[in-house]
Amino acid sequence: MVKYSFDKSKIKVLLLEGIHENAVQCFRENGYSDIECLNGALSGPELEKKLHGTHIVGIRSRTELRKEMLIRSPKLLAIGCFSIGTNQVDTLDAKLLGIPVFNAPFSNTRSVAELVIAECIMLMRGIPEKSALAQKKIWMKSLNNSVEVRGKNLGIIGYGHIGSQVSILAESMGMNIYYYDIEKKLNLGNARPVNSLNELLKISDTVTIHVPSTELTRNMISRDQIALMKKGACLINASRGDIVDYDAVAEALRSKHLAGIAADVFPEEPASNNEPFVNELQNFNNVILTPHIAGSTLEAQANIGLEVAEKLVKYSDTGSTLGAVNFVQISLQPNTSKQRFLHTHKNVPGVLRELNDYFSSKGINISAEFLQTDPDIGYVILETESELDYSVLQDLKNISHTIRARILF
Ligand code: NAI
């Protein structure tokens, strides 16, 4: 009998695009030694060649992992997107091939919140306009459009990770916090929920938007909503470019209904720093325009390195898929006393029965079984206390509709 053992030195990790050193450290500290790091992105035959023997790949936003590439990477167990978005990967195809994809949705939350706070103060003091004029040799020493944030109302649309961080920071500066969210949320500090977006818009001195881009939020702030805002109010959008109608904002800036806006995201953003950036808000002084960098800080990058690497290690070590963007979620701790099988299969009737029949025909007692399914796949983790023959893995792979099988111990 050839006893199966999970040898981490045989797991090849490939990290592309200069992923932060924290990721490498995390893999090493958890016993992974075969780690290759490259500074650039890869594509085409070069990527295919590298992926051929790779079990875990880490990418940022410039390496694309499309269906054909995934099909041609038979050893690939998991993908780590060291980024917030995962558009660079065909995540559905990855799932159908049994490959979970992990990302770092919250690593830059604090970075966004801090910038929003800074912008809130800058806008309410009228600094962008005064600064723009000073650059043009105009001395505009005036207290017009200049107020403290203390005691003013901040309206937060979307009280999720970023919205609630903004809430805590703004309250500590003495602001009154109101928020609108479609979900019931735990109020932090003295923050108060309101019943409708319109109500929030009417009472806020500054409105900041922290919702995802969805059917419901597209153009959520347009002419009608801006008309409800207080005269002289400010707007901050560091969420997504299609949530605010910037033509309507431009109109409101022209009519002085809005005192200023900070925008970090736009409906059309240049794909690289070499392309020009054009937006109607460039015609105004009382705006802060930033190139989608609200979440871009050294700390966020370091956090992303750790967050994604930890998820990849956890999946490789235990089979836990918690946090995967494309996979059913099972979260388990390492279990050293038992053998653990991971089996991903097409979600069709009879697979689980076949699996269980297989173990009972071998006289192997199943001590625990965890199953999650979605319409496409089933992912089952089985634990046994028996010593395992390596051939068991091959037998599991032969079960009909199997996508992938692994053994851990
Ligand atoms: P989150 O998922 O933690 O929070 C979003 C909140 O919006 C949730 O509480 C949700 O219930 C609420 N929501 C969803 N639809 C809504 C609706 N129609 N009306 C009211 N509330 C609604 O997300 P997180 O991490 O706070 O991110 C928020 C936004 O910030 C996202 O659009 C994200 O893409 C963007 N973002 C932008 C960055 C940048 O660099 N500018 C960096 C990171 C995130």
Side-chain angles (χ1 to χ4, degrees):
M1 178 173 98
V2 185
K3 188 174 167 252
Y4 180 81
S5 73
F6 176 41
D7 182 356
K8 294 189 190 184
S9 70
K10 294 208 173 111
I11 301 269
K12 169 150 196 220
V13 180
L14 174 68
L15 300 177
L16 302 176
E17 302 185 60
I19 284 167
H20 197 275
E21 173 61 24
N22 275 358
V24 181
Q25 225 172 339
C26 176
F27 279 109
R28 283 203 202 293
E29 280 167 7
N30 284 283
Y32 293 79
S33 51
D34 188 356
I35 307 166
E36 183 177 2
C37 301
L38 297 178
N39 276 331
L42 291 181
S43 61
E46 224 182 346
L47 177 61
E48 185 178 341
K49 198 166 154 210
K50 280 279 177 211
L51 284 179
H52 201 71
T54 294
H55 298 94
I56 297 175
V57 65
I59 58 171
R60 290 173 67 186
S61 53
R62 284 180 297 121
T63 302
E64 296 197 352
L65 293 172
R66 300 296 166 211
K67 182 180 178 184
E68 290 310 312
M69 190 62 78
L70 297 174
I71 290 171
R72 289 200 288 268
S73 311
K75 294 222 164 122
L76 204 55
L77 292 177
I79 297 169
C81 293
F82 288 73
S83 55
I84 311 300
T86 53
N87 297 343
Q88 65 276 42
V89 179
D90 283 344
T91 50
L92 176 61
D93 296 299
K95 175 177 81 167
L96 298 177
L97 291 164
I99 308 169
V101 178
F102 298 93
N103 68 339
F106 313 123
S107 291
N108 59 7
T109 297
R110 174 70 185 208
S111 304
V112 179
E114 284 191 12
L115 185 68
V116 166
I117 292 298
E119 290 176 335
C120 179
I121 298 173
M122 289 297 204
L123 289 173
M124 293 183 77
R125 293 290 293 270
I127 300 297
E129 183 171 25
K130 291 178 179 96
S131 171
L133 292 174
Q135 302 265 8
K136 292 175 194 153
K137 305 184 181 163
I138 298 169
W139 191 247
M140 192 185 144
K141 186 169 162 63
S142 149
L143 51 72
N144 283 348
N145 295 330
S146 185
V147 293
E148 290 183 352
V149 298
R150 179 172 50 171
K152 305 299 181 303
N153 294 350
L154 179 66
I156 301 175
I157 307 176
Y159 202 68
H161 290 88
I162 298 173
S164 54
Q165 274 284 317
V166 169
S167 163
I168 293 169
L169 296 175
E171 185 170 328
S172 70
M173 297 192 303
M175 296 191 82
N176 311 313
I177 314 300
Y178 298 89
Y179 71 86
Y180 168 67
D181 198 296
I182 42 168
E183 303 288 344
K184 183 102 186 108
K185 296 283 171 170
L186 172 70
N187 308 335
L188 298 180
N190 295 317
R192 275 162 283 182
V194 297
N195 291 324
S196 69
L197 177 60
N198 289 356
E199 190 182 338
L200 188 83
L201 295 170
K202 282 180 196 164
I203 59 176
S204 302
D205 296 297
T206 287
V207 171
T208 183
I209 307 166
H210 302 291
V211 290
S213 170
T214 65
E215 287 295 318
L216 276 180
T217 61
R218 212 150 295 141
N219 270 333
M220 183 182 209
I221 301 297
S222 192
R223 263 173 207 93
D224 292 349
Q225 291 71 32
I226 293 172
L228 293 174
M229 291 173 71
K230 288 185 183 180
K231 184 166 167 54
C234 299
L235 183 64
I236 300 172
N237 183 19
S239 58
R240 282 293 175 260
D242 58 357
I243 292 169
V244 173
D245 173 356
Y246 287 123
D247 287 332
V249 170
E251 243 173 59
L253 289 172
R254 220 169 278 123
S255 70
K256 306 223 182 309
H257 183 70
L258 285 184
I261 176 171
D264 184 52
V265 285
F266 304 89
E268 278 152 36
E269 297 180 1
S272 79
N273 288 351
N274 301 324
E275 290 174 28
F277 165 57
V278 182
N279 187 278
E280 56 271 51
L281 297 179
Q282 287 161 331
N283 299 316
F284 299 89
N285 280 337
N286 44 343
V287 298
I288 301 172
L289 304 182
T290 46
H292 203 148
I293 43 75
S296 305
T297 60
L298 295 176
E299 288 84 354
Q301 214 46 50
N303 292 342
I304 288 170
L306 192 59
E307 185 179 338
V308 181
E310 279 175 348
K311 289 177 184 170
L312 289 168
V313 164
K314 196 158 184 224
Y315 174 64
S316 177
D317 284 1
T318 70
S320 281
T321 50
L322 195 69
V325 296
N326 64 337
F327 227 72
V328 287
Q329 313 264 311
I330 297 184
S331 176
L332 291 179
Q333 293 304 311
N335 193 334
T336 44
S337 67
K338 292 176 183 165
Q339 312 283 353
R340 191 175 274 181
F341 297 84
L342 317 179
H343 190 267
T344 309
H345 50 266
K346 283 190 195 150
N347 188 4
V348 293
V351 181
L352 209 56
R353 183 172 29 82
E354 227 180 299
L355 259 174
N356 287 323
D357 288 352
Y358 170 77
F359 283 103
S360 64
S361 73
K362 290 266 169 186
I364 302 169
N365 187 40
I366 295 172
S367 51
E369 186 166 325
F370 310 88
L371 168 73
Q372 287 293 338
T373 58
D374 72 9
D376 301 312
I377 62 163
Y379 178 46
V380 62
I381 299 183
L382 291 159
E383 289 180 347
T384 74
E385 275 152 15
S386 317
E387 289 282 290
L388 289 180
D389 184 326
Y390 195 73
S391 66
V392 170
L393 182 59
Q394 199 45 53
D395 292 342
L396 286 181
K397 287 182 176 169
N398 289 340
I399 288 177
S400 25
H401 305 295
T402 296
I403 298 173
R404 236 157 235 262
R406 279 180 73 205
I407 306 181
L408 303 173
F409 72 103

